[in-house]
C-alpha cells in the first residue's frame, strides 16, 4: 500500500515536470521575484497577480530539476484564489513537513502538496522543493530582490 502511494506520488511529480502548470509570464504582474537554488542550479521567476489580499493568478518561468519544477507548478495551482495569509500558512505547514522528520502533520492539510512529502527523506533535495515557496514568501512581503536558498 505504501509503495503504491509512493509510485502515485512519483507519477504526479513526473507529470508536473513534463507539463508544468502556469508556465507563462503574467504581464503586468503585481509581484515578480526571482529565486535561485545554487545547490542544484534551480532558477525560477515567480509572477503574482493580486486583488487586495487575494492571489488571483500565479505563474512562473525558469528551469530546474524535476522536484523544483513540480513544486513550483503545484504551488501556482494551490495558491490561486487563496488569501496571502492562507498562502503563508500553507508555506509554514509545507516547510515543517519537509524539514522536521518527526512532525506529525495531517496530510490532508497539505492537499496535493502531499505528493512532495517523500522529499523529506532526501535532505539535499529539500531546497529544490522549498525554493518556490521561499520565492513566494519574498513576493508576498513585497521584496523585489532575487532570493537565494543559500
Ligand atoms: Zn533541484
Amino acid at each position: 500500500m505504501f509503495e503504491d502511494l509512493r509510485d502515485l506520488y512519483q507519477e504526479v511529480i513526473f507529470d508536473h515536470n513534463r507539463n508544468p502548470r502556469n508556465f507563462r509570464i503574467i504581464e503586468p504582474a503585481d509581484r515578480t521575484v526571482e529565486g535561485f537554488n545554487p545547490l542544484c542550479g534551480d532558477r525560477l521567476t515567480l509572477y503574482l497577480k493580486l486583488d487586495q489580499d487575494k492571489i488571483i493568478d500565479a505563474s512562473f518561468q525558469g528551469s530546474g530539476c524535476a522536484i523544483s519544477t513540480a513544486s513550483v507548478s503545484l504551488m501556482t495551482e494551490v495558491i490561486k484564489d487563496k488569501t496571502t495569509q492562507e498562502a503563508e500558512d500553507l508555506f509554514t505547514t509545507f516547510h515543517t513537513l519537509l524539514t522536521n522528520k518527526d512532525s506529525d502533520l495531517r496530510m490532508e492539510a497539505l492537499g496535493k502538496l502531499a505528493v512532495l512529502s517523500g522529499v523529506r527523506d532526501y535532505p539535499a533535495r529539500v531546497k529544490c522543493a522549498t525554493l518556490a515557496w521561499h520565492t513566494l514568501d519574498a513576493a508576498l512581503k513585497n521584496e523585489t530582490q532575487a532570493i537565494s536558498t543559500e
Side-chain angles (χ1 to χ4, degrees):
M1 180 60 201
F2 184 67
E3 284 298 313
D4 288 350
L5 196 62
R6 272 230 133 133
D7 288 348
L8 175 71
Y9 282 1
Q10 275 189 0
E11 229 353 274
V12 176
I13 291 169
F14 289 149
D15 176 48
H16 275 267
N17 182 46
R18 275 192 305 260
N19 307 298
R21 317 302 197 267
N22 303 305
F23 190 78
R24 58 188 159 81
I25 296 171
I26 295 173
E27 187 68 64
D30 293 306
R31 303 284 163 86
T32 304
V33 178
E34 287 172 42
F36 178 46
N37 172 21
L39 218 59
C40 179
D42 310 313
R43 247 175 222 287
L44 61 88
T45 305
L46 181 70
Y47 304 90
L48 297 180
K49 193 95 185 150
L50 303 174
D51 181 10
Q52 295 185 36
D53 70 337
K54 198 170 182 189
I55 299 166
I56 53 171
D57 199 7
S59 73
F60 78 102
Q61 295 271 276
S63 64
C65 67
I67 301 282
S68 72
T69 303
S71 181
V72 66
S73 172
L74 280 158
M75 186 189 79
T76 56
E77 280 196 326
V78 300
I79 62 173
K80 210 178 278 186
D81 297 323
K82 290 225 175 355
T83 66
T84 54
Q85 185 58 54
E86 286 168 339
E88 290 281 9
D89 290 348
L90 210 50
F91 172 46
T92 305
T93 307
F94 183 63
H95 197 260
T96 307
L97 171 83
L98 292 190
T99 54
N100 181 359
K101 268 195 167 239
D102 301 321
S103 63
D104 181 27
L105 283 167
R106 292 164 302 115
M107 287 296 205
E108 63 266 28
L110 282 167
K112 57 173 84 172
L113 297 178
V115 301
L116 290 162
S117 58
V119 172
R120 65 200 253 160
D121 295 329
Y122 304 93
R125 311 308 299 278
V126 166
K127 283 178 177 166
C128 301
T130 55
L131 171 65
W133 291 88
H134 285 293
T135 310
L136 172 70
D137 187 47
L140 293 178
K141 289 176 176 146
N142 213 357
E143 290 164 12
T144 49
Q145 272 204 329
I147 71 113
S148 169
T149 54
E150 286 301 288

